Amino acid sequence: MFKGVFSIFTAAALIASPFQTANAQGAPEEWLEPGTQFQYAVTNESAPDENFDVNLIFLGRLRGWMLYLNDHEEEGPYVYAETPFSLFFSDCGYSREPDFADHQAIIAEFRELPAGEILAYEDGDSSVHASVSEIFDYTLPVSLGGTVIAARTVTLAYTGDDPYAYTTTVSKDGLVTLEIDWQDGSIERLVDVQPPVREQDALTFETAQQHCPAIFGDTILVHHQK
């Protein structure tokens, strides 16, 4: 899901950040402003030499999709899109011709799904079995103030030619990814959130087409400069 490198900010910057107001009422929603930077640490106890950090920039939300710029150090920047709870995902490079109404119906049904029950749906060539936990208290890392927020764990199991499954811990509304267990020994954790460097406009459909033609239309991807 995430690949990239970013430096850790100083403790002083973290204390000054307006994002240090997270609480059990779901403050992570306030982090989703265009231009917000999310840093994740990817660790693997069996291969510590392969640990790395990831830097994502939130581009905006539109029609139930959230767009991110992954500032990948080796592969170069690229944009991807996902829906709440990561129920649907696109690398923005291959058209999936989504039915927005169907996606919204599945997401709405998942929001009301009792803990432990399974929602089955189709995603491209795969069948997906999704389940969600009860809401629980999740303690953010010290780098984010160690605040306790409300969270849920989502398990997604994909069938098909290359079946796989993973679990992701998200804010209770499913909008912010807090942690991912890839089930291969590697775990991805949110360790830093920084506000936009400057105020940015909300994502428009035309801009979304440029960023992610696979979801919003057949146009040329915008070239991003580091």
Short mmCIF file of all heavy atoms in Angstrom, two decimals, residues 11 28 31 51 73-74 79 81 95 97 105 134 159 162 171 186 201:
data_model
loop_
_atom_site.label_atom_id
_atom_site.label_comp_id
_atom_site.label_asym_id
_atom_site.label_seq_id
_atom_site.Cartn_x
_atom_site.Cartn_y
_atom_site.Cartn_z
N ALA A 11 10.50 17.07 18.08
CA ALA A 11 9.46 17.06 19.11
C ALA A 11 8.81 18.43 19.23
O ALA A 11 7.61 18.54 19.46
CB ALA A 11 10.07 16.64 20.45
N PRO A 28 -9.03 12.27 14.03
CA PRO A 28 -8.31 12.06 12.79
C PRO A 28 -9.03 12.59 11.55
O PRO A 28 -8.38 12.86 10.54
CB PRO A 28 -8.15 10.53 12.74
CG PRO A 28 -8.04 10.15 14.17
CD PRO A 28 -9.02 11.05 14.87
N TRP A 31 -7.50 15.59 10.19
CA TRP A 31 -6.21 15.51 9.52
C TRP A 31 -6.35 15.52 8.00
O TRP A 31 -5.38 15.77 7.30
CB TRP A 31 -5.49 14.23 9.94
CG TRP A 31 -5.20 14.12 11.40
CD1 TRP A 31 -5.28 15.11 12.33
CD2 TRP A 31 -4.75 12.96 12.09
NE1 TRP A 31 -4.94 14.63 13.56
CE2 TRP A 31 -4.61 13.31 13.45
CE3 TRP A 31 -4.47 11.65 11.70
CZ2 TRP A 31 -4.18 12.41 14.41
CZ3 TRP A 31 -4.05 10.75 12.66
CH2 TRP A 31 -3.90 11.12 14.00
N ASN A 51 13.82 -2.33 7.28
CA ASN A 51 12.85 -1.36 7.77
C ASN A 51 13.00 -0.04 7.03
O ASN A 51 14.11 0.35 6.65
CB ASN A 51 13.05 -1.12 9.27
CG ASN A 51 12.76 -2.37 10.09
OD1 ASN A 51 12.20 -3.34 9.60
ND2 ASN A 51 13.16 -2.35 11.35
N GLU A 73 10.98 7.23 -2.91
CA GLU A 73 12.36 7.66 -3.18
C GLU A 73 12.97 6.95 -4.38
O GLU A 73 13.69 7.55 -5.18
CB GLU A 73 13.23 7.43 -1.95
CG GLU A 73 14.65 7.97 -2.10
CD GLU A 73 15.45 7.82 -0.82
OE1 GLU A 73 15.71 6.67 -0.44
OE2 GLU A 73 15.79 8.85 -0.21
N GLU A 74 12.69 5.66 -4.56
CA GLU A 74 13.31 4.89 -5.62
C GLU A 74 12.48 4.86 -6.90
O GLU A 74 13.01 5.01 -8.00
CB GLU A 74 13.58 3.45 -5.14
CG GLU A 74 14.56 3.38 -3.97
CD GLU A 74 14.79 1.96 -3.51
OE1 GLU A 74 14.17 1.04 -4.09
OE2 GLU A 74 15.60 1.76 -2.59
N VAL A 79 0.49 8.52 -7.62
CA VAL A 79 -0.77 8.74 -6.93
C VAL A 79 -1.54 7.43 -6.84
O VAL A 79 -1.52 6.62 -7.77
CB VAL A 79 -1.62 9.80 -7.68
CG1 VAL A 79 -3.00 9.95 -7.03
CG2 VAL A 79 -0.89 11.14 -7.69
N ALA A 81 -5.43 5.75 -5.01
CA ALA A 81 -6.73 6.12 -4.44
C ALA A 81 -7.30 4.94 -3.67
O ALA A 81 -7.10 3.78 -4.05
CB ALA A 81 -7.70 6.54 -5.55
N SER A 95 -7.44 1.44 -15.56
CA SER A 95 -8.85 1.80 -15.41
C SER A 95 -9.63 0.67 -14.76
O SER A 95 -9.47 -0.50 -15.11
CB SER A 95 -9.47 2.12 -16.77
OG SER A 95 -10.84 2.40 -16.64
N GLU A 97 -13.09 1.45 -14.09
CA GLU A 97 -14.45 1.82 -14.44
C GLU A 97 -15.40 1.58 -13.26
O GLU A 97 -16.32 0.78 -13.33
CB GLU A 97 -14.91 1.04 -15.67
CG GLU A 97 -14.05 1.31 -16.90
CD GLU A 97 -14.52 0.52 -18.12
OE1 GLU A 97 -15.47 -0.27 -17.99
OE2 GLU A 97 -13.93 0.70 -19.18
N ALA A 105 -22.78 2.01 -1.74
CA ALA A 105 -23.71 1.09 -1.10
C ALA A 105 -22.95 0.04 -0.28
O ALA A 105 -23.35 -0.30 0.85
CB ALA A 105 -24.59 0.41 -2.14
N GLU A 134 -15.16 -4.51 16.87
CA GLU A 134 -15.82 -3.48 17.67
C GLU A 134 -14.89 -2.27 17.75
O GLU A 134 -13.67 -2.37 17.57
CB GLU A 134 -16.09 -4.00 19.09
CG GLU A 134 -17.04 -5.18 19.16
CD GLU A 134 -18.51 -4.77 19.02
OE1 GLU A 134 -18.77 -3.57 18.80
OE2 GLU A 134 -19.37 -5.66 19.15
N THR A 159 -9.74 -13.50 -2.78
CA THR A 159 -9.61 -14.79 -3.46
C THR A 159 -9.13 -14.53 -4.89
O THR A 159 -8.90 -13.39 -5.28
CB THR A 159 -10.96 -15.52 -3.51
OG1 THR A 159 -11.88 -14.74 -4.31
CG2 THR A 159 -11.54 -15.69 -2.12
N ASP A 162 -4.23 -15.21 -7.03
CA ASP A 162 -3.18 -14.93 -6.04
C ASP A 162 -3.84 -14.47 -4.73
O ASP A 162 -3.81 -13.30 -4.38
CB ASP A 162 -2.24 -13.84 -6.57
CG ASP A 162 -1.05 -13.61 -5.66
OD1 ASP A 162 -0.74 -14.52 -4.86
OD2 ASP A 162 -0.43 -12.52 -5.75
N SER A 171 -9.11 4.66 11.93
CA SER A 171 -9.94 5.48 12.80
C SER A 171 -11.37 4.97 12.69
O SER A 171 -11.73 4.31 11.70
CB SER A 171 -9.86 6.95 12.39
OG SER A 171 -10.22 7.13 11.03
N SER A 186 5.70 -8.05 8.28
CA SER A 186 5.89 -6.60 8.22
C SER A 186 4.64 -5.87 8.71
O SER A 186 3.52 -6.27 8.41
CB SER A 186 6.24 -6.15 6.81
OG SER A 186 5.20 -6.47 5.91
N ASP A 201 -6.77 24.35 -2.03
CA ASP A 201 -8.18 24.24 -2.36
C ASP A 201 -8.63 22.79 -2.28
O ASP A 201 -7.83 21.85 -2.39
CB ASP A 201 -8.44 24.77 -3.77
CG ASP A 201 -8.18 26.26 -3.88
OD1 ASP A 201 -8.32 26.95 -2.86
OD2 ASP A 201 -7.82 26.72 -4.99
#
